[in-house]
Amino acid sequence: MKTIYLDNNATTQMAPEVIEIMQESYALYGNASSMHSLGRESMVAIEAARSSVARMIGADGAEIIFTSGGSESDNTVLMLARDMIDEGSKRHRIVTSTIEHPAIIETCQYLEKKGYHIDYVNVDASGRIDSDSFAQLMGDDVLLVSIMAGNNETGTIQDIQKLTQIAHAAGALMHTDAVQAIGKMETDVRQWGVDYLSLSGHKFYGPKGVGALYVRKGAPFKAFVKGGHQEDGNRAGTYNTAAIVGMGRAADLVFETSVQERQNLWYLREKLRTGLQAAIPNVVVNGHPTLCLPGTLNVSFAGAEGESILLMLDFEGIAVSTGSACATGSLEPSYVLLAGGLDVELAHGSIRFSLGRYNTESDIDYVLEKMPTIIRRLREISTR
Amino acid sequence: MNTNSPVWVYTDTVKEHFMNPQNVWEDDNYEPDGEGLVGSMACGDQMKVGIKVKEDKIIDLKWQTYGCASAIASTSVMSVMVIGMTLEEAYTLTPVMITEKLGGLPKHKFHCSVLGDKALRAAIDNYLENQGRDNPYRKLVAKIICECKNVTDQQIEDLVKTKKATTLEELREITEYGTVCGKCQFRVQRLFDEYKHIYNV
């Protein structure tokens, strides 16, 4: 059976170019921190990757710290803020949003339990942060702001440049979780003006288990993972050479092709959206109609539950994800969808299609062929 | 977690009933002798069961389910098990019997099968009510939860269903559960939440 992978916001398949360069770099077994030639060879490869990652986001190589991925990068920034507060910073408040990735939101809740002061800005029905309500949360006691660039579930994009200006005007540091944004929208740290930015290799056709944190030159920083001199003492741990090199190659591909790729993704996404709306009654599109990551389409089907839709699609070889509670084991569906005020029942019936580099028009045709029957069948079974 | 198929999260039996559900209530003109509805779409699962009864035997059962694969499969397998049963047998059917027939469910999905047997009981309750008959089966399935004050799960269920107890404090005032040794508190709380979910209150 053919596989149509439409879950690219969960993870992407590695680019063949990435696999190729990683296979070569597995031979670079020298510890990149060693002084001998074998070690230096590894370090040269790592530094090349650092330049590639930096170039992709408009940064300097010296501003890139390699990490194990987005979650570590996010945790690093929040724990940095905690340390600064503990060490007597006059600013002691952290502001974030209600739709952040769990790596931010759950870590903030953890800090809250320990007595730290966190404020959460809400979003409107399209998933956008209103800059006025955001500005109202600012003040001279805010140390750090963390707002994601593009949402993993709805795809809704925030105006990071504007939010950064507001945060900076209040004297706060600005972090953005750009894990979903990389390759899918213009991501330029200078243009945005952010102090910190998290990214993850496997979301842009690189390997899993590797990511980076951008730290603006001059921004405060302290190691989160301690105990080694790697990354100038900013992140301990023996270098995962092959993974870093793979992410570097993936970053080059983003730099070279992403503008064109984005146009294609949006074309396919819109084809899918209009096709679903034409063929199926009672389809609700979640998120912002245009300010959206180009490959993400989040839709709700009234009267059909998300996990059932997901599994029926799975039998047809189509991989998607859902915001239904049933799929997570809790009784609550997606907090991101609920934060935007979506009806609970519709949140249970939500499906996220996330398209990627390797999807084709015929993939979309196939989904459009299968989807109406699946929804009709589930609605027939359903208590109406 | 019990899985026959390593690639799929559920057993093959669940898959079979999910893909080919049995006894679905598709005919809008179906007229059951008793009908029960539990859960809510807002909670993520809702089940409706209609039964036809002859000489205290269930001769037909139709159902509808809004919910995940295990909710659909557990109602389907329940329908197959129940047709031909006496009312007493059907009433004493337990969630464990349903999940066993399915070859097991992932732990967090057990809830779905609880809804199946609740919908069935609601249909039998409704049937007996329509007949103007007493319900001799309810006491068969009651379980004592608070031993000190002799509070059963059915009492708790009734109080939640009729909205006489909307908070744990009200429940305690009425039943005095947990006021002696206090050992039952956690179980009561869990049941209370479960019934609130099932009856959407």
Side-chain angles (χ1 to χ4, degrees), chain A residues 6-7 9-10 152-153 296-298 320-321 350-354:
Chain A
L6 299 175
D7 201 12
N9 287 10
N152 47 314
E153 291 189 36
T296 306
L297 177 67
N298 192 312
V320 298
S321 84
S350 69
I351 290 291
R352 178 189 71 187
F353 299 94
S354 49

Side-chain angles (χ1 to χ4, degrees), chain A residues 303-305 307-308 311-312 314-315 326-329 331 344-345 348-349 377-378 380-384, chain B residues 8 10 15 18-19 21 26 28 41-44 46-48 63-69 72 108-109:
Chain A
E305 192 274 335
E307 190 209 83
S308 287
L311 291 171
M312 290 233 172
D314 190 36
F315 293 137
C326 286
T328 63
L331 293 178
V344 186
E345 184 200 326
H348 283 297
R377 183 62 187 141
L378 287 171
E380 276 167 7
I381 297 174
S382 171
T383 53
R384 279 162 286 257
Chain B
W8 214 54
Y10 296 117
K15 183 174 172 175
F18 174 57
M19 294 307 280
E26 281 170 292
D28 288 338
M41 288 169 103
C43 285
Q46 186 175 52
M47 291 175 191
K48 186 164 100 172
W63 60 270
Q64 288 174 347
T65 290
Y66 169 81
C68 57
I72 289 170
H108 66 274
K109 293 289 186 180

Side-chain angles (χ1 to χ4, degrees), chain A residues 141-218:
Chain A
D141 59 341
V142 178
L143 174 67
L144 176 75
V145 172
S146 179
I147 302 287
M148 70 185 353
N151 186 267
N152 47 314
E153 291 189 36
T154 60
T156 299
I157 286 168
Q158 307 299 337
D159 188 345
I160 295 300
Q161 188 176 348
K162 187 165 184 190
L163 297 175
T164 303
Q165 282 165 2
I166 297 169
H168 281 170
L173 293 162
M174 180 74 184
H175 167 248
T176 187
D177 176 337
V179 166
Q180 291 292 343
I182 299 295
K184 301 171 194 158
M185 61 189 277
E186 199 60 40
T187 306
D188 186 313
V189 290
R190 300 276 180 260
Q191 193 195 330
W192 284 356
V194 293
D195 301 292
Y196 310 97
L197 177 145
S198 303
L199 61 86
S200 177
H202 75 102
K203 304 287 193 194
F204 57 96
Y205 314 96
K208 291 161 183 63
V210 67
L213 178 65
Y214 157 81
V215 180
R216 183 184 52 77
K217 193 166 176 262

Side-chain angles (χ1 to χ4, degrees), chain B residues 11-46:
Chain B
T11 64
D12 290 345
T13 316
V14 173
K15 183 174 172 175
E16 185 54 39
H17 278 276
F18 174 57
M19 294 307 280
N20 301 299
Q22 307 292 305
N23 305 307
V24 177
W25 187 336
E26 281 170 292
D27 180 3
D28 288 338
N29 299 319
Y30 185 68
E31 282 181 12
D33 300 328
E35 191 179 321
L37 177 74
V38 296
S40 81
M41 288 169 103
C43 285
D45 29 35
Q46 186 175 52

